[in-house]
Amino acid sequence: MSGDEKAAAAPRSLAEALRQRDDASLAALLRARPDLITPVPTDLTQLATRAGTRASVVRALERLDRFALQTAEALAVAGDPASYGELLGLMAGDDGDPQVAAALPRALGALRERALVWGADDRLRLVRTARELLAPSPQHPSPTGLGPTVQEATAGMSPGRIQEIVAAVGLPSTHDSVSAVASLTALFTDRERMSALLADVPADSLEVLDRLVWGPPYGQVTADPAPRLRLLLDRGLLLPTAPGTVVLPREVALHLRAGRAHRAPEPVPPAVTASATHTARVVDATAAGQAYTALATVEELLKDWDEGGPNVLRAGGLSVRDLKRTAVALDVPEPVAAFWVELAYAAGLLASDGEVDERYAATPAYDEWLELPPADRWARLAQAWLTATRTPGVVGDRDAKDRTLSALGPGLDRSAAPEVRHRVLALLAALPEGAAPDAESVLARLRWERPLRGPQRTGDHDLRTRLARWTLSEAELLGVTGRGALSAHGRALLGAGASAGASAGAPAAGPAAPGTGTGTGTAAGAASDADAGRPGPDGLTTPGPGDKLPVHKHHPHHPHHPTAESPHDSTPVPVPAPPHDTAPPHPTAPPHDPTPAPAPLSPAEQAAATAAAAARLLAPLLPEPLDHVLLQADLTAVAPGPLRRPLADMLGVLANVESKGGATVYRFTPASVRRALDAGRSAADLHAFLTEHSRTPVPQPLAYLIDDVARRHGHLRVGAASAYVRCDDDALLNEILADKRSAGLGLRRLAPTVLAAQADPGALLEGLRAMGYAPAAESAAGDVVIARADSHRTPPRTAPEPVPDGPPAPDTPLLSAAIRAIRAGDLAATAPRRPAAADPAADGEPPRTSAAETLATVQAAVLTGETLWIGYVNADGAASQRVIAPIRVEGGFVTAYDHTADEVRTYPLHRITGVAELAEEAAADPS
């Protein structure tokens, strides 16, 4: 190929570079930057325009690992365009760091894949918006610490002053400032001449340069600078940018840095180290114990709110007082209580009831959850935690309006939370079984994978670091980890992607050729294992015989075409194979298996499968529920383990929980026994229940307690008058009237055995019980009202939907359809048009034709089989351009194969605004 042909093949814009990509590379771009496909661009020019918008570029830069971001920062301070050799010099320095040289092709491939860099290796161009964001300026210093170039720093300098600097460094004077600045730049970029110039600089002046060399490059000087500063100003080693401000030129700083753009390039991610190692059995047993405690805690929380929980704040959420009360009831700190409350809410077990006096209560899903086996209940909680965007760790913080964030309230969603949780657990899964990671090494790895742009904040101020710390503590509370190490059921919860994700952030194993022109790295690489059994290795459906627009397989123009690798996945992406009908099978190839490949699981099905796998591993580790307790003479019962559901429910009514731990201690009191009697149990029922479920004889004090409370229970009857009290023993009523504590009830005698009260029945019952009596409520018919422990439930509620972190990643069918639509739209926009005899079409717009001309042209195309370019307005008034191959015209409609939509469609002729024939070469091959 001649030099002219090579120059013609080189892309002149990002849109042309995208046109040279194959479908696999476009699929990788859209996976890595899903915002580009929402909505689907009409053609590649619009895709390139969207890829260069500020919001999209910022989002793409935020998802680069540290070395890829450092590579982009180096390109921002390099020439435009820059060669691969220049970029390598900025990254590896004059000494040529071998690790940097080996990792640079991967980083450059990641930037190319995301359409942040385009062009051949000898003309690398950073997208203009990315250059504006990363290039140094006085308002926004570059992370490299470099200042402006000599040309930029001398832009406002007088020509005479420039000539003085040129003469001071021993250069011949020039006739204009442009050539003077060019000669000064050539001097500062020449290593040998620059070394000779600095050899004559005194040590105290060199000390000033050393303080500025790694940034910030700006300094303050007085109107009469010291001699050591005056020498640097005279030789142009420092240049004034404003009164009292000087800057170290970029070329001088790079010489002092030995060519490095960064003080410490980080081509290799920091390793996650283990702080302790335990046996897998100990880890799983500890995690199972924590999982059982998590289930008990959630049950206790919702049982405490069973008859109606705390009120909902007017602005939404739980008040500080109610959160403190919940923490005391659960015997945990307030942040931990907020975690359990939010976990129950995320799992759909808790919600507001929507009543006028709105309160929090359990949902009907809670009753269904209670009926599940313990392992399945845990799996549902763990799955909800893993995918939830609500972040209980921010409870108590202030929002943008300086309002306190409350548990269950608005403003707790953090879109990055699910991704950080998955990533932290994946890093734990990469360690050997039983190894507990060092928390700081995990945080360092996450900071490398998603570094903060701009001034690097230290400590735990950034959100991702806080999320990672919360993930480690919450995973331990929930039983996903045990003693800091990931358990077996925790690994299962991550699913099949854990092993692949564990190596995320690792660079390529070896050096690759620099020319990864259209490399399909990060996003496409992740599909090689996850998309096994899917239609094609490039994420696209293999074209069939009926496809009119074949999948494009453009080869890049670079001399090397290695397989690019992802900075977050070391799985290589294979070059797509041609369609199965383009090459004969090998004689020794096995016969074709007619069994269709299994359809890929949806995200919901994958989540259900991983949760089921985790539950299967956890189930053998959880203790079996017991059907007995140990009654003791001090009116207590000891449950040596978890109890079966009916036993636990009944015992929770008959006694109060006194302590929890390895064994639960229940205490029987007169109030608790009366509660069981109010629920409709008789004394005989309670004696039979205790005898059946106790491994020890029923102690005599407990039997006496039950009989004594039962004898007095229901002797007084309370009904609605507004309220009344009746009793067959008039002496007992006299006693109540004489008691000063009854004054607030407003009692008066209606009959010898009936008292009327001004209080309502509920208040009257509570007042009499507070006085030591055991009244029973009765209905209007005189029957005892049984106060069963019926729970207050909300109407059916769904769990809160996670707030996505930007557009969702497109699936394979969407990618396939989108790329074919983009290709077809680009064909319609770029295909050569046959010029009309009169009124030629404006560039990029179809010509306006009359109805008669449109009909005649379409009818002729049916006979000749030509392809037409039409303008069309749909029923909503939206105009579009389409490339069609007319099949028939009848009844005012044209039926044609639409290359843009890749299907046969029918169009009303009156909605076609214009028609033109495609040029010969475009019509012959519309693809």
Side-chain angles (χ1 to χ4, degrees), residues 715-717 725-730 732-733 752-755:
H715 198 47
L716 293 176
R717 299 293 184 91
V725 181
R726 70 179 181 88
C727 180
D728 295 336
D729 187 355
D730 57 346
L732 182 58
L733 296 183
T753 59
V754 180
L755 298 179

Side-chain angles (χ1 to χ4, degrees), residues 23-410:
D23 286 355
S25 181
L26 285 180
L29 168 62
L30 298 179
R31 282 196 187 95
R33 298 175 65 177
D35 55 300
L36 300 183
I37 203 175
T38 310
V40 177
T42 57
D43 53 33
L44 289 171
T45 301
Q46 188 180 83
L47 177 64
T49 303
R50 192 178 296 175
T53 58
R54 183 181 180 88
S56 181
V57 170
V58 167
R59 184 177 179 82
L61 290 175
E62 289 176 346
R63 280 154 178 75
L64 295 175
D65 62 50
R66 178 159 294 168
F67 188 65
L69 183 59
Q70 287 180 334
T71 303
E73 293 165 352
L75 278 173
V77 298
D80 188 22
S83 66
Y84 183 84
E86 181 182 354
L87 175 61
L88 180 61
L90 288 171
M91 295 300 296
D94 295 342
D95 53 350
D97 188 336
Q99 278 193 328
V100 172
L104 185 58
R106 176 197 61 82
L108 184 59
L111 296 175
R112 274 183 166 137
E113 176 192 283
R114 290 166 171 78
L116 295 173
V117 171
W118 58 277
D121 288 338
D122 57 344
R123 295 182 63 83
L124 295 173
R125 292 184 181 273
L126 189 65
V127 173
R128 183 179 61 182
T129 308
R131 179 175 290 274
E132 294 172 353
L133 291 168
L134 300 176
S137 67
Q139 295 78 20
H140 303 284
S142 169
T144 61
L146 294 171
T149 63
V150 172
Q151 180 181 359
E152 294 168 347
T154 58
M157 191 176 293
S158 66
R161 177 58 184 151
I162 295 176
Q163 294 296 337
E164 290 176 3
I165 295 175
V166 169
V169 295
L171 296 175
S173 60
T174 61
H175 61 282
D176 65 300
S177 299
V178 175
S179 56
V181 170
S183 63
L184 194 61
T185 301
L187 169 64
F188 289 166
T189 54
D190 189 318
R191 293 287 188 263
E192 294 184 2
R193 295 164 63 195
M194 190 63 179
S195 298
L197 177 64
L198 292 175
D200 297 336
V201 177
D204 55 350
S205 297
L206 289 177
E207 182 184 354
V208 175
L209 297 180
D210 289 340
R211 292 208 301 265
L212 300 177
V213 65
W214 291 109
Y218 295 91
Q220 301 296 320
V221 296
T222 61
D224 184 17
R228 60 176 183 172
L229 295 175
R230 172 59 61 188
L231 182 144
L232 298 176
L233 290 168
D234 290 343
R235 297 190 180 187
L237 298 176
L238 290 179
L239 295 173
T241 59
T245 303
V246 295
V247 68
L248 181 67
R250 186 182 304 170
E251 293 85 353
V252 177
L254 286 174
H255 176 83
L256 297 172
R257 297 179 177 193
R260 285 185 182 272
H262 296 86
R263 171 177 285 186
E266 299 183 53
V268 179
V272 178
T273 58
S275 61
T277 303
H278 312 281
T279 63
R281 183 175 181 180
V282 169
V283 170
D284 293 344
T286 305
Q290 286 297 118
Y292 170 72
T293 303
L295 295 177
T297 304
V298 173
E299 289 183 36
E300 183 179 357
L301 167 69
L302 294 177
K303 180 181 288 186
D304 189 45
W305 293 5
D306 216 22
E307 298 179 8
N311 290 323
V312 180
L313 293 175
R314 183 181 302 175
L318 200 62
S319 68
V320 175
R321 180 183 303 173
D322 289 327
L323 181 61
K324 289 182 178 179
R325 187 179 295 115
T326 302
V328 171
L330 298 179
D331 194 20
V332 295
E334 290 178 35
V336 178
F339 167 70
W340 293 120
V341 170
E342 284 289 340
L343 178 63
Y345 179 59
L349 309 180
L350 175 67
S352 61
D353 58 10
E355 302 291 340
V356 176
D357 184 19
E358 195 171 14
R359 308 175 72 88
Y360 288 109
T363 63
Y366 170 64
D367 298 313
E368 300 174 4
W369 179 76
L370 285 177
E371 299 301 322
L372 296 175
D376 291 338
R377 281 187 278 143
W378 177 87
R380 180 167 172 180
L381 291 180
Q383 192 68 40
W385 168 75
L386 196 60
T387 58
T389 56
R390 292 186 62 84
T391 309
V394 300
V395 171
D397 290 354
R398 296 278 179 174
D399 62 7
K401 296 183 178 179
D402 200 35
R403 295 175 301 191
T404 302
L405 297 173
S406 58
L408 300 179

